[in-house]
Amino acid sequence: MYRIAWLPGDGIGIDVMNAARAVLDALKLDAQYMPADIGWEFWCNEGDALPQRTIDLLRASHCAFFGAITSKPKEEADAELAPHLRDKGFVYRSPIVRLRQLFDLYMNLRPCKAYAGNPLNYRDDINLVIFRENTEGLYAGVEFHPVPENVRRALEESSGAMRAFKAIASDDIAITARIITRRGAERIVRRAFEYAQKNNYPTVTLVEKPNVLRETSGLMTRVARQVARAFPRIELWEANIDAMMMWLLKNPQQYGILVTSNLFGDVVSDLCAQLVGGLGFAASGNIGDQFAVFEPTHGSAPKYAGQNKVNPLATILAAKLMLDWLGETEKATRLENAIATVIAEGRVRTYDLGGTSTTMEMAEAVARKL
Ligand code: NAI
Ligand code: MG
């Protein structure tokens, strides 16, 4: 029996998780769903949006299924903290970023497939899968403002380009480091190629900018070329991130697997999600070697919270990704077929698809097809 940590979180996270649960129950997955606390309420009342008891429960589970959380800017976060916790040094940290770091969930898997009959498809022949590095790059968290004197001095001594900023006061300059490691590059590219091989994709496209980011994108490129040699039947394409934004709008059907670093992956995957229906369809897996967290990519959409209104398919597609990862291939395929049939029939549609069906009606329609 699988032990699945169940983290609805805030707002519509709760609505869409209920919907996903109805579908998983219809599939009769042999699983124990273990509810755990995450989200805004726990920040306000405990000073921690991801309490230690939740981390302990995650460590005792096979994987986690996550809805969405609310997060707010610093001033509001401080103001909403319970009075007895104020001025005690609590700092809000994104629970999802922490989960990625704690469990080394280095791969962010974002399939973007146009299901036939989805009125929101940009084209009907799009089938992209994005592999975004999830732990380093520009989101590694190495940032300075003001920039400490010793950091500036070290940079000025070792980089001619840094000397151009010499006259600027430390308070007037901010620096974010883009960190790419050989190990980080190697493992994300290798996972992309393995996936391409297993699923018969003829190409893997590396999306970087090595002509300008000569060292970081350069390392990604060198590593990708090396990894590609082990997969002679799959062609490595290389595209610059800026040009790729044009190509993806012009000819998205020509691409299959995309692999890229953290920030570029964040950008590319939102664009690709919109090509196949937007937030109501965008599912993702945060995957490491030992553990994984599956989620819809949308947030808690407070204005729709508790209204049983939003589209649950992103979350149900995340359940499909979880079944794949667990090795439940037959159930994953059955679930995807059921989703595809409901979309193709077009009888049950939530508001984003121009319909009036509820979240639960959509989930029940999928469950019936199972
Ligand atoms: P959001 O993704 O929550 O919602 C933006 C808009 O997209 C909604 O108002 C709605 O019109 C539409 N939408 C979202 N999910 C949908 C669905 N399943 N079906 C149909 N339409 C849907 O983003 P927003 O409003 O920027 O953020 C709201 C809160 O969520 C914030 O506190 C933010 O920090 C948080 N957030 C959390 C994320 C997470 O938990 N992974 C990701 C993004 C935002
Ligand atoms: Mg994003």
Side-chain angles (χ1 to χ4, degrees):
M1 192 194 318
Y2 300 114
R3 288 189 311 277
I4 299 173
W6 195 256
L7 313 171
D10 301 311
I12 62 164
I14 296 164
D15 304 48
V16 294
M17 290 284 277
N18 285 336
R21 183 60 187 277
V23 170
L24 286 167
D25 286 348
L27 265 175
K28 298 194 168 54
L29 182 68
D30 186 18
Q32 184 192 358
Y33 301 97
M34 307 188 296
D37 297 335
I38 190 169
W40 195 246
E41 182 191 333
F42 304 98
W43 160 253
C44 297
N45 297 328
E46 304 177 25
D48 193 351
L50 179 66
Q52 184 60 42
R53 61 182 177 281
T54 299
I55 296 170
D56 294 341
L57 185 135
L58 290 166
R59 291 202 194 284
S61 54
H62 288 102
C63 63
F65 203 62
F66 166 61
I69 46 124
T70 295
S71 61
K72 299 183 188 180
K74 189 173 168 6
E75 289 72 24
E76 285 166 69
D78 292 343
E80 291 186 32
L81 198 56
H84 72 280
L85 298 174
R86 284 186 205 152
D87 305 316
K88 297 235 164 78
F90 289 102
V91 179
Y92 184 85
R93 288 184 293 159
S94 158
I96 187 75
V97 172
R98 276 173 70 202
L99 283 177
R100 289 170 183 164
Q101 290 168 349
L102 267 170
F103 292 91
D104 196 20
L105 307 176
Y106 61 85
M107 172 172 123
N108 192 309
L109 177 68
R110 293 270 302 250
C112 297
K113 186 195 267 194
Y115 289 98
N118 182 349
L120 302 175
N121 286 343
Y122 181 71
R123 293 176 59 116
D124 287 330
D125 51 0
I126 298 171
N127 188 4
L128 296 158
V129 184
I130 298 138
F131 285 74
R132 161 188 166 194
E133 204 293 324
N134 218 13
T135 53
E136 50 184 47
L138 264 170
Y139 294 178
V142 182
E143 300 199 279
F144 307 98
H145 183 247
V147 181
E149 210 37 59
N150 58 336
V151 173
R152 283 192 82 159
R153 211 171 323 113
L155 286 170
E156 278 163 12
E157 276 165 16
S158 36
S159 161
M162 190 66 196
R163 278 168 221 142
F165 302 98
K166 213 170 166 45
I168 297 172
S170 288
D171 213 22
D172 292 334
I173 182 168
I175 295 179
T176 299
R178 186 178 200 249
I179 297 179
I180 303 285
T181 66
R182 184 179 296 280
R183 168 174 179 259
E186 223 264 348
R187 59 187 183 175
I188 192 70
V189 173
R190 190 171 292 281
R191 293 294 98 75
F193 270 92
E194 286 166 357
Y195 185 98
Q197 186 161 51
K198 186 158 177 247
N199 296 282
N200 299 313
Y201 281 85
T203 63
V204 169
T205 305
L206 176 72
V207 185
E208 282 295 325
K209 185 83 182 179
N211 54 334
V212 178
L213 301 172
R214 306 182 82 81
E215 302 310 332
T216 47
S217 286
L219 181 58
M220 276 288 270
T221 304
R222 292 189 287 278
V223 167
R225 289 176 186 171
Q226 211 165 16
V227 170
R229 284 198 219 117
F231 300 86
R233 283 186 299 121
I234 301 163
E235 212 177 316
L236 173 67
W237 289 357
E238 296 173 18
N240 284 333
I241 176 70
D242 47 349
M244 193 64 186
M245 294 288 114
M246 287 190 332
W247 294 123
L248 279 171
L249 285 180
K250 191 160 186 272
N251 298 315
Q253 75 286 358
Q254 290 181 356
Y255 296 90
I257 309 293
L258 312 184
V259 61
T260 183
S261 48
N262 208 337
L263 167 71
F264 292 166
D266 200 5
V267 174
V268 170
S269 44
D270 276 13
L271 176 83
C272 292
Q274 194 55 44
L275 297 177
V276 298
L279 287 174
F281 292 85
S284 72
N286 301 276
I287 301 174
D289 288 333
Q290 312 292 336
F291 195 71
V293 178
F294 299 90
E295 55 163 336
T297 61
H298 61 71
S300 61
K303 71 177 175 192
Y304 295 119
Q307 292 182 26
N308 192 25
K309 179 167 175 175
V310 296
N311 188 346
L313 288 181
T315 314
I316 295 171
L317 285 163
K320 186 256 172 199
L321 293 179
M322 178 174 77
L323 293 167
D324 280 333
W325 186 79
L326 289 169
E328 294 286 343
T329 315
E330 182 269 339
K331 285 189 166 60
T333 307
R334 210 143 53 82
L335 177 53
E336 187 175 28
N337 290 341
I339 296 166
T341 307
V342 169
I343 295 170
E345 289 178 356
R347 279 199 289 270
V348 182
R349 284 181 171 171
T350 42
Y351 82 95
D352 54 320
L353 291 160
T356 56
S357 304
T358 66
T359 305
M360 248 344 189
E361 282 166 357
M362 189 78 133
E364 279 156 8
V366 173
R368 267 197 306 279
K369 297 295 175 198
L370 293 167

